Amino acid sequence: MRTTKIEGKCVQDWITEYPLLHELIATKEVFWSNPNYELFQAGIKKILLNENGVKDAEERLTRFAPYIAKVFPETRELNGIIESPIVQIPSMQKHVEEIHELELPGRFLLKCDSHLPISGSIKARGGIYEVLKHAEDLALQHQLVTLQDDYSIMDSEKFRNFFSQYSIAVGSTGNLGLSIGIMSAKMGFKVTVHMSADAKKWKKDLLRSKGVTVVEYKEDYSKAVEEGRKHANSEPNCYFVDDENSSDLFLGYAVAASRVKKQLEDMNITVDEDHPLFVYLPCGVGGGPGGVAFGLKLLYQDHVHCFFAEPTHSPCMLLGLATGLHDKVSVQDFGIDNMTAADGLAVGRPSGFVGKTIEPLLSGCYTVSDDELYKLLYALIETENIYLEPSALAGVFGPVQLMKEKEGQEYLQNHQLTDRIKNATHIMWATGGSMVPAETMEEYRQKGLKLSRKKN
């Protein structure tokens, strides 16, 4: 643990002021209810982004749908719209209840962004969207398209040659790199992905197979982003996708909300005061879960309750929110190692932009151990035949923390939800998994099996 001061106070003073830090430093599973959470009408006034930005993003994705359908055949069933299903997981719900000896009232749903087309993770939303927005900006600027054109014309040598004059760079633990790399290379951009030590080898190999330049670092995510930013600044015509500060990424993720709303309506699921919606979102630097939560709050306001899920060894957003320090603090400042099997969530310093933006609308955060992630991974395969990567299971632990922890019960009481939770819908956001190689997934499954047997 470092001994220098953080914002004028030594580490021990911060720990004294915020006792929760004792639990975080000990890498225990915790539940934190956000004291700065506000009713929607008050909270939204503090946020610069609004529904117009989300609408603009939706319209842009619609313009690009003909192009997407043409170059990615797997999207043709939905006419070029990149979307994932929501499925009910009642057998998993029963299993989690039995293992944790808890009653978990309401309905369990899994939002399968793990199976989004093209790059197989939630990053296929924001990441691909930002590449498309940059491509559109360049094409409009050079009068190669109008907003009324059929964007499938971009699938041509003319456009690929044009985009090849430009490059794109990003820093990533893996999944954002996949979405940025695959989309940029398809359009013709030169693209470099700066990958942290946590990034899995298969993700690097896949990117290289698509013609993407991959630069590897021995350090964590923050270093990869820092070097990616330097690279972009030093190269003419290079655009940097800034996972820590991008409003475009954020708005691309937010588009998910209107699609979820339609999916729930198609399933005859009501969301209102008497039928609350709880959403559990795995969180790394914060852009994906922050954007999704923002979009859901715009639509459902006080009837939706969003929680971020983080590994016990990488609780950066919880740390930033709980102390109010946001991106001025890292988990390493408090001696937490940022080492986790949940590679997509292995982030030591949160996005200050996301933390400050979502703070008045976020219900809380919780942490989950790697062992629990593996056990949940194995259980989901056994009960529902659904395969996810470890980080994507973080959301499934949400109802357990909400119902088991004292702070979770207090949240329900304070928001008059104790009686209504029996009518609740719980959405666990599955953030990645469908592109994991079979042999790697089998290793995950075996680890989960071993840990499950050990407990029993």
Side-chain angles (χ1 to χ4, degrees):
M1 193 181 303
R2 79 179 200 181
T3 55
T4 53
K5 294 190 173 182
I6 307 170
E7 293 296 286
K9 290 197 296 191
C10 70
V11 169
Q12 192 54 51
D13 288 339
W14 283 108
I15 295 172
T16 300
E17 186 173 351
Y18 298 97
L20 176 70
L21 294 177
H22 283 290
E23 306 287 293
L24 291 181
I25 291 167
T27 62
K28 292 183 178 179
E29 292 175 337
V30 303
F31 182 96
W32 175 77
S33 181
N34 180 12
N36 295 315
Y37 176 69
E38 300 183 45
L39 293 176
F40 176 80
Q41 294 300 338
I44 196 64
K45 292 175 183 175
K46 298 180 178 179
I47 298 174
L48 296 177
L49 299 174
N50 56 43
E51 61 269 19
N52 292 331
V54 182
K55 185 170 180 285
D56 180 54
E58 288 179 333
E59 291 171 353
R60 184 168 292 104
L61 288 169
T62 300
R63 288 196 293 275
F64 268 100
Y67 170 80
I68 296 293
K70 189 174 181 186
V71 300
F72 293 107
E74 64 268 35
T75 68
R76 287 176 191 164
E77 188 178 337
L78 294 177
N79 300 313
I81 295 299
I82 301 168
E83 196 43 74
S84 70
I86 287 182
V87 297
Q88 300 202 47
I89 49 170
S91 297
M92 183 64 176
Q93 180 173 0
K94 184 179 179 184
H95 169 84
V96 174
E97 285 182 323
E98 290 173 355
I99 290 297
H100 290 280
E101 298 178 345
L102 280 171
E103 182 185 354
L104 300 174
R107 177 192 289 110
F108 271 35
L109 302 180
L110 194 72
K111 175 59 175 168
C112 298
D113 273 9
S114 47
H115 292 69
L116 275 173
I118 304 175
S119 66
S121 83
I122 188 174
K123 303 297 185 180
R125 294 188 183 282
I128 288 174
Y129 171 72
E130 182 150 355
V131 173
L132 296 178
K133 183 176 186 299
H134 181 55
E136 183 185 63
D137 289 345
L138 289 172
L140 289 170
Q141 181 185 334
H142 289 83
Q143 299 179 332
L144 296 175
V145 295
T146 69
L147 295 179
Q148 288 70 44
D149 283 340
D150 178 344
Y151 278 15
S152 65
I153 61 173
M154 291 193 196
D155 179 34
S156 67
E157 287 306 309
K158 172 187 173 182
F159 276 91
R160 282 188 285 275
N161 288 336
F162 168 70
F163 290 131
S164 71
Q165 303 170 73
Y166 301 88
S167 56
I168 291 176
V170 65
S172 174
T173 61
N175 285 344
L176 181 63
L178 282 182
S179 68
I180 298 295
I182 291 170
M183 191 70 245
S184 299
K186 178 66 74 173
M187 300 198 82
F189 288 103
K190 296 184 178 73
V191 55
T192 303
V193 178
H194 298 259
M195 304 283 260
S196 67
D198 318 280
K200 298 290 188 276
K201 182 179 181 297
W202 70 265
K203 295 181 182 181
K204 300 170 191 174
D205 292 343
L206 178 59
L207 282 170
R208 290 185 173 118
S209 76
K210 303 286 185 183
V212 175
T213 299
V214 176
V215 182
E216 301 181 53
Y217 298 92
K218 294 179 180 177
E219 297 89 349
D220 72 1
Y221 165 86
S222 295
K223 180 67 172 178
V225 172
E226 177 189 341
E227 292 301 319
R229 192 178 284 117
K230 282 183 189 174
H231 162 230
N233 289 337
S234 68
E235 189 176 306
N237 294 334
C238 186
Y239 179 82
F240 181 61
V241 178
D242 191 343
D243 197 13
E244 295 178 330
N245 300 295
S246 174
S247 58
D248 288 333
L249 276 177
F250 190 88
L251 292 169
Y253 294 124
V255 171
S258 62
R259 298 171 179 181
V260 165
K261 186 172 187 291
K262 183 177 188 309
Q263 288 175 319
L264 293 181
E265 288 170 353
D266 289 346
M267 297 170 78
N268 295 315
I269 293 174
T270 299
V271 178
D272 58 22
E273 185 177 6
D274 291 321
H275 302 81
L277 176 63
F278 293 82
V279 184
Y280 311 94
L281 297 146
C283 179
V285 76
V292 170
F294 177 70
L296 289 168
K297 292 298 288 190
L298 286 174
L299 291 180
Y300 291 119
Q301 301 191 7
D302 297 322
H303 305 323
V304 63
H305 307 268
C306 298
F307 296 89
F308 286 175
E310 296 184 287
T312 53
H313 284 253
S314 304
C316 69
M317 185 60 73
L318 198 168
L319 181 63
L321 286 165
T323 60
L325 290 169
H326 296 290
D327 57 341
K328 292 185 173 66
V329 69
S330 73
V331 300
Q332 291 94 336
D333 291 337
F334 288 89
I336 305 170
D337 62 15
N338 193 33
M339 300 290 286
T340 173
D343 59 324
L345 312 183
V347 178
R349 187 180 302 274
S351 164
F353 156 66
V354 173
K356 292 168 187 173
T357 298
I358 202 65
E359 184 171 33
L361 303 180
L362 183 69
S363 294
C365 304
Y366 63 89
T367 60
V368 54
S369 71
D370 281 11
D371 282 1
E372 185 66 35
L373 293 177
Y374 279 117
K375 286 187 282 188
L376 290 168
L377 182 152
Y378 171 73
L380 191 63
I381 294 171
E382 292 298 299
T383 60
E384 306 286 355
N385 198 33
I386 297 173
Y387 292 73
L388 304 180
E389 62 185 5
S391 57
L393 276 301
V396 182
F397 198 52
V400 174
Q401 291 292 75
L402 184 68
M403 299 305 294
K404 179 180 74 173
E405 298 295 333
K406 176 171 171 280
E407 291 79 3
Q409 289 297 306
E410 288 175 352
Y411 179 87
L412 296 177
Q413 291 165 11
N414 292 340
H415 295 88
Q416 290 78 53
L417 293 164
T418 305
D419 293 331
R420 294 172 179 152
I421 197 165
K422 64 179 181 293
N423 305 320
T425 298
H426 302 270
I427 296 180
M428 296 79 173
W429 215 274
T431 47
S434 63
M435 296 186 76
V436 175
E439 62 273 18
T440 304
M441 185 59 78
E442 179 58 19
E443 289 173 10
Y444 292 159
R445 192 189 76 84
Q446 288 292 339
K447 186 155 188 177
L449 170 60
K450 184 177 179 182
L451 286 166
S452 299
R453 285 177 171 169
K454 184 178 177 182
K455 180 181 178 183
N456 296 331

